[in-house]
Amino acid sequence: MLFRSERQVVGLRFGPNGRYLLSNSLDKRVLLWDTDRLDAEPVIVAQGQSRWPPMAFAPHAPTFVVYAGGELRKFHVRSLDSPQVIEGTAEINNLRFSPDGQLLAIASSGAANLRLVQFDHSPRSRLIEPLRGIGAPLAFSPDMRRLATGSALQRGRISGDHFIRVWQWRDLDAAPIVLTEPRRRTTRLEFSPEGHQLVATGWREETVRLWALTGPSPKATVLPFPPDRHSGSAHFTPDGRKVVTSGFGGAMSLDLGNLSAEYETLIAKSHWTGGLAVRADGKAIATVDHQTDILSVKVLDQPNSPVRELLGLSKLGGWDVDYSPTGRQIAVGDRDGRVHLWRSDDDGATSIVLGRHEDLPLKNIFSPDGKRLASIGRDNTVRLWNVDDPDALPIVMQTSDVLTGLTYAPSGDFVLTDDAQGIRLWDLTHPLNTLPTAAIAK
């Protein structure tokens, strides 16, 4: 591998994942090289301003800083043409980030010749242009080839059609498959484990619909759950053989291989059951009781085991609950804005509080590796919590619009949310290989 610069190279800095390389040279240029594209020309970041411009890559984010033209500039590798000016300052001689990337050390020629600056690496969002005007819910297929979306938006509100659209993630400009059967707003979408089926529930709609996505014009199968019980959530079991749903009356399951069989009641309630989660091994489910603020857990491979009602989680929001990938933790929010973690192998007497939103948490979901928890709330924020370090402050991503949809990419590199304009992608680690650049609104 060999890159050529027109003049002698005097400085090199690799990015955190080794793909990108910064160089400066005696021709007063700072170049950004993409080591995955050997035939591509480097991008000129700064030119003709300082003989050896100081530069530094942040250790855990796709951002870097360069001192040029009397300004310290922060660049994101996805938006090199619009750097953020951190400050205008006296001549800077050297730059170094702390190992956690939160502090930037600046050595300069001024009176304060050594300074520490707090540095913000909060992920930034980009509107996905082909999905402008599309709203929640959101769901990726496990292989990340497809993305399912819910209602269309009109003037920033869910007042357009209620159709479900299935997009090809790598080709969002292609026409999606449109599923027209829903007559009311969809509240939950989920792909089957192999990605060939899609299940959906609707707002105040007395049906759970299932589509086989193997043909060009999929038709819905209405699953025979009780018609008098509005379904709020539906999930496949890990083997894809059953669908578990919650709503009025509790939680029930249905064998997809025998739709004529009677549904099975797993957790019986006399009122609305909100959030539902199925453990990764399929051996337990958890529900949130919207009326009595009780988090219930049922072990499915022990038919005679009682439903465990967990204490210590008062004022539960009743909106969403999620199992960690290992099945050892359950995340749920309450009406005071707090986000709780409960260890599913203890007695359930207490929970860990990760922190709180300023308003009601609406949805939470674990990252694929279980190390982070993403949540959205009515405070118009997306928050990323460190599951391994509950005392750590979350990464807070502020938006100007109300959020209702949230999903983690199966790769763990980004999350998607929706707002009044459409669907946004939030870069979490190194997002360059997740979406074609042409599909991002500048």
Side-chain angles (χ1 to χ4, degrees):
M1 182 184 302
L2 178 64
F3 296 120
R4 294 188 62 86
S5 180
E6 294 181 4
R7 295 291 300 275
Q8 180 182 346
V9 176
V10 294
L12 295 170
R13 297 287 187 274
F14 266 110
N17 73 339
R19 175 176 174 179
Y20 287 89
L21 176 68
L22 283 173
S23 70
N24 58 16
S25 55
L26 293 181
D27 58 5
K28 300 182 181 181
R29 297 197 303 175
V30 177
L31 304 179
L32 180 69
W33 308 82
D34 184 348
T35 63
D36 282 357
R37 300 176 60 194
L38 302 182
D39 56 344
E41 290 294 321
V43 178
I44 300 174
V45 176
Q47 183 175 16
Q49 304 188 19
S50 176
R51 189 173 184 183
W52 299 321
M55 56 193 184
F57 253 109
H60 305 300
T63 57
F64 60 90
V65 292
V66 173
Y67 174 70
E71 296 177 337
L72 183 59
R73 301 172 184 173
K74 172 188 172 184
F75 294 83
H76 190 288
V77 293
R78 288 294 293 273
S79 53
L80 297 174
D81 57 344
S82 55
Q84 173 189 352
V85 177
I86 299 176
E87 62 178 38
T89 184
E91 185 173 353
I92 292 176
N93 301 320
N94 208 347
L95 298 167
R96 286 291 186 276
F97 278 100
S98 60
D100 62 4
Q102 299 304 306
L103 292 175
L104 178 65
I106 302 174
S108 65
S109 302
N113 56 9
L114 181 60
R115 292 175 295 128
L116 293 177
V117 175
Q118 193 77 28
F119 210 75
D120 178 19
H121 296 293
S122 298
R124 299 292 185 259
S125 70
R126 291 173 174 81
L127 184 67
I128 304 177
E129 190 63 35
L131 303 186
R132 185 184 292 272
I134 299 297
L138 310 168
F140 272 109
S141 61
D143 60 8
M144 211 167 142
R145 293 183 178 180
R146 290 171 165 173
L147 173 70
T149 62
S151 301
L153 306 176
Q154 189 174 35
R155 296 181 180 178
R157 298 188 178 185
I158 303 174
S159 55
D161 66 58
H162 297 306
F163 301 157
I164 296 169
R165 293 167 173 83
V166 182
W167 309 79
Q168 295 296 321
W169 178 246
R170 292 292 181 182
D171 187 12
L172 291 173
D173 289 320
I177 298 173
V178 181
L179 310 176
T180 61
E181 284 88 344
R183 295 293 180 261
R184 308 187 74 172
R185 179 165 63 92
T186 302
T187 56
R188 172 77 189 183
L189 291 168
E190 182 170 290
F191 282 92
S192 59
E194 81 286 347
H196 299 320
Q197 293 179 300
L198 183 71
V199 68
T201 57
W203 175 249
R204 298 290 183 179
E205 195 169 51
E206 300 177 355
T207 59
V208 180
R209 288 185 169 89
L210 178 74
W211 288 268
L213 302 176
T214 53
S217 302
K219 300 296 182 183
T221 298
V222 177
L223 300 182
F225 284 105
D228 58 340
R229 298 184 181 183
H230 302 289
S231 297
S233 187
H235 297 263
F236 286 95
T237 55
D239 58 11
R241 296 179 180 178
K242 294 182 178 181
V243 167
V244 182
T245 184
S246 66
F248 283 107
M252 298 154 283
S253 71
L254 186 69
D255 188 345
L256 296 180
N258 186 10
L259 294 182
S260 61
E262 184 74 8
Y263 63 89
E264 179 184 2
T265 299
L266 304 177
I267 298 178
K269 299 287 183 178
S270 59
H271 40 262
W272 176 261
T273 299
L276 168 69
V278 179
R279 204 166 71 184
D281 60 5
K283 296 181 179 181
I285 64 170
T287 64
V288 177
D289 194 314
H290 191 59
Q291 181 170 326
T292 61
D293 295 333
I294 292 176
L295 176 63
S296 301
V297 173
K298 171 71 174 179
V299 178
L300 302 181
D301 60 350
Q302 300 174 15
N304 297 323
S305 65
V307 176
R308 299 173 63 187
E309 295 184 344
L310 309 181
L311 305 177
L313 298 179
S314 62
K315 297 184 179 180
L316 293 181
W319 297 97
D320 201 41
V321 60
D322 193 35
Y323 266 109
S324 66
T326 63
R328 296 176 181 175
Q329 293 173 308
I330 300 173
V332 65
D334 69 24
R335 286 195 289 272
D336 284 336
R338 291 172 296 192
V339 178
H340 298 261
L341 274 184
W342 174 77
R343 293 191 64 85
S344 59
D345 54 359
D346 64 19
D347 60 6
T350 59
S351 67
I352 299 172
V353 178
L354 290 176
R356 65 187 305 162
H357 283 264
E358 296 177 7
D359 204 331
L360 180 70
L362 298 176
K363 188 172 180 60
N364 52 75
I365 185 170
F366 281 96
S367 61
D369 61 6
K371 295 181 179 180
R372 283 181 170 179
L373 179 76
S375 64
I376 58 173
R378 284 185 176 170
D379 57 358
N380 297 352
T381 64
V382 186
R383 297 177 186 248
L384 295 176
W385 310 90
N386 188 332
V387 174
D388 295 331
D389 185 5
D391 294 328
L393 293 175
I395 298 172
V396 180
M397 299 171 281
Q398 185 71 49
T399 70
S400 58
D401 297 309
V402 175
L403 302 169
T404 57
L406 171 70
T407 190
Y408 238 112
S411 62
D413 292 338
F414 60 89
V415 295
L416 297 183
T417 63
D418 80 305
D419 58 31
Q421 297 184 63
I423 295 174
R424 293 185 179 274
L425 182 150
W426 299 84
D427 299 331
L428 303 185
T429 53
H430 198 284
L432 293 181
N433 290 326
T434 60
L435 192 69
T437 302
I440 300 291
K442 299 297 185 184

